[in-house]
Every structure is written in C-alpha cells, then in structure tokens.
Amino acid sequence: MAKGDSPLYAVVVVLHDSEAELAVLLDSVEACLAEQPQIIVVDSGSRDGGPDLAAERGAEVVALKGNPGFGAACNAGLERARHGVTVLLNPDCELLDASLTRLAALARAHPRALHSARLLNPDGSVQRSAHPLPGTAGSLLPAVVPAPLLPRALRERVEPYRAATARTVGWAIAACLAASTDTLRELGPFDPAVHLFAEDLELGLRARALEIPTILHPQLRIRHAGGHAVLRDGEPLELIARRRREAIEATRGRRAVALDDLGQALTFGTRAAAHAVLGGDAARARAQLTALVRTWGQPQRERPGGRIGGARRHG
C-alpha cells in the first residue's frame, strides 16, 4: 500500500509544560481509537515530566533546544511524519470518540484542504474555533448587528463555528487541524518566524491564497481546554492584536487590515457599552479595545525573506 493510501496517520503534539494535559489526551487516544496513530511529541522547553510521560506511553519524542515557538515545533514534528495524513493536535485536547480518525479520513479523501473538527469547551459548549475571512466589508456586520438577530444563514457566515453541516471557513484555530502531509509540508505548515499567536490565522489566510480552503466538520467533536500554556500569566492582548494585524496585512493587504481594525474596534466598543448598560463586566472588552488602538501606527517589523511580522508575503 502506498504511503498516501495508508489508513494510518500521524499526530503532532507540541508540549510546553503540558504534562497534566498530555496525560488526559493520551488516555483518551487509547480509549477512543481502535488503531493507534503515529504520535510525535515535540517538546519546546518543558520544565515538567511531559517528555518522559510521552516516551513512556510510546510516543516519538523530539526535544528542541529552548523554546523556538509553536509553529517551529509543529514543523519539526511534521518532518517525522511517516503517513500520508498528519493531524496537528494540542496537548490540551481530549478525544470523545473516533472523530480524530474520521477527520484524518476526510483529509485523505480531500488532500488539498485543511480540515478542522468542532471544538468543545470543557463544559460541552461550542468553542469559537472557526472564523470568517477577516478584513471584508461583510465582516463588519456582526460589529453593528448582534449575531443572534441575524438570519440563520448570515449568522453562520459571521459565526461559522455554529454551523450544523460541513462548510468552508476563513480560518480555524490549529488545536486540531488535519491535512495531507504533503499539503502541510508545502505550506510549512507554519512560518517559524511567528513565535506565538496568529500562526493559525496566518496559515489559514496563506493557504486560502493558494486555493487551499479550510473546512469545518461540525459532526466531528474534540474537547479543547484552551490557553493552557499561553494564558497562565493573563492575556497578552496587545501582542495578540499586533500579531493579528501583521498576519492580515501580509496575506491580504492594508485595506483588509483597515476593515478588520474597524470591525474589531466596533465589536469591542459595542461589547463594553452593552456590559456597562446591563451592569456586566466591561473590563475585558475595554482592555481589548485599548490594546488594539495601541497597535495602530506601530511600524511593521521587516524580516528577512520578505516577511513582515513573521508572515510570508505572497504576490
């Protein structure tokens, strides 16, 4: 059987002080999957027992010097993949059933696409893991009209994570993302110059520019805790806002950045006002708006090879 026809697939998991989360993930893999995939665990500077746990449980462990970032670590793991399909999977995910294998089968059947499962919060609610294309006039709609007031078709367009059936989305977070191994290698998948934040946004937009869509499969479910490694010291809102702007400008241009800035500012401002009127906590929305405004006018950081802020330029 040729490599690309194998029903097996590779899973790349990046660790950074993720021992507790990895234990839950590996337990769920053993419980939910009849046939175990090739599991490649890439350690990026952990100070706990995560790498040892991975080795004890039969995973291939790649130890990187220091902490080169999530994207670079994923790329290093992808180099070890021996099968025609690879799934990028965060350590704070937990399988609920055989959705991971079904997602890999979809990636095998449709190799020129990125495939995402529906992610669930720990309480079972749907996570905002799939997003519309940023920087379009249509993306301003939910900033001025509350999404629950929109017709269903429009609401699913601006909040695609709510979709009931498979659909193309602008981009999806990379907590669980599957594709042909060759497609991922063609894409990078990530730009190693992006140390953290917006690497999945940049990947989705760059893939779209190469006519490789991102598809959400809501019938497939994965539990995802979210933020286990990056939010321990609070949300770095200004860095997140800057990375988002850099990724959009590098892949879609300055007009898209301006439209996205407007949409983000309106959204944060509207949320803050609504919380204030209804007696809620407006602090986070105000902080997000403040962080966004602080990034305006900041110079984009040129990098070697035509990159700006870590994102590749494409003509």
Side-chain angles (χ1 to χ4, degrees), residues 3-298:
K3 170 186 171 183
D5 296 330
S6 171
L8 293 178
Y9 55 97
V11 175
V12 174
V13 181
V14 174
L15 300 187
H16 183 72
D17 295 339
S18 312
E19 181 180 7
E21 293 81 7
L22 179 65
V24 173
L25 171 60
L26 294 178
D27 284 346
S28 72
V29 168
E30 292 182 3
C32 295
L33 303 184
E35 194 167 16
Q36 303 298 296
Q38 177 196 7
I39 299 180
I40 305 158
V41 170
V42 184
D43 181 57
S44 56
S46 291
R47 296 158 293 182
D48 61 11
D52 292 336
L53 172 64
E56 290 168 5
R57 300 290 288 270
E60 300 176 30
V61 179
V62 180
L64 302 182
K65 294 182 179 179
N67 181 10
F70 174 78
C74 278
N75 293 354
L78 184 62
E79 293 177 4
R80 303 291 187 94
R82 297 193 300 268
H83 301 286
V85 169
T86 298
V87 183
L88 308 178
L89 189 66
N90 278 13
D92 57 349
C93 287
E94 180 182 1
L95 307 193
L96 303 172
D97 52 29
S99 287
L100 196 70
T101 295
R102 293 163 61 195
L103 186 70
L106 286 166
R108 186 174 300 109
H110 306 282
R112 293 297 291 176
L114 305 178
H115 300 268
S116 174
R118 164 162 282 163
L119 300 185
L120 303 180
N121 292 309
D123 64 3
S125 60
V126 177
Q127 199 167 103
R128 293 174 176 263
S129 61
H131 302 272
L133 184 67
T136 66
S139 66
L140 299 178
L141 184 60
V144 294
V145 179
L149 300 181
L150 296 172
R152 178 171 182 151
L154 276 178
R155 188 176 188 187
E156 284 194 1
R157 184 173 179 180
V158 300
E159 294 183 336
Y161 63 91
R162 297 185 182 276
T165 57
R167 63 166 296 146
T168 299
V169 301
W171 64 283
I173 68 173
C176 180
L177 201 64
S180 153
T181 301
D182 288 342
T183 295
L184 288 174
R185 285 174 175 161
E186 175 188 339
L187 291 168
F190 297 110
D191 188 330
V194 183
H195 184 270
L196 195 61
F197 300 121
E199 60 276 279
D200 39 16
L201 167 62
E202 193 267 348
L203 170 63
L205 297 182
R206 182 160 41 84
R208 182 180 181 274
L210 296 174
E211 299 184 346
I212 299 172
T214 299
I215 303 172
L216 171 69
H217 301 278
Q219 76 277 20
L220 307 180
R221 306 171 308 132
I222 303 286
R223 184 178 290 140
H224 176 228
H228 81 284
V230 300
L231 302 182
R232 291 175 178 138
D233 300 319
E235 291 182 277
L237 295 176
E238 187 172 337
L239 178 59
I240 292 171
R242 186 169 69 249
R243 292 282 191 257
R244 178 183 177 94
R245 297 183 79 243
E246 290 171 345
I248 294 172
E249 178 169 345
T251 54
R252 305 203 64 240
R254 292 186 178 181
R255 181 178 181 276
V257 173
L259 284 170
D260 190 67
D261 280 348
L262 178 58
Q264 293 271 291
L266 287 171
T267 297
F268 299 148
T270 301
R271 285 179 187 170
H275 283 303
V277 170
L278 298 175
D281 185 0
R284 184 171 186 270
R286 286 200 300 265
Q288 288 174 305
L289 179 59
T290 299
L292 174 63
V293 172
R294 284 176 178 167
T295 67
W296 294 348
Q298 291 183 3

Side-chain angles (χ1 to χ4, degrees), residues 293-309:
V293 172
R294 284 176 178 167
T295 67
W296 294 348
Q298 291 183 3
Q300 298 285 57
R301 293 175 298 170
E302 290 284 355
R303 294 175 185 259
R307 297 186 181 99
I308 291 184

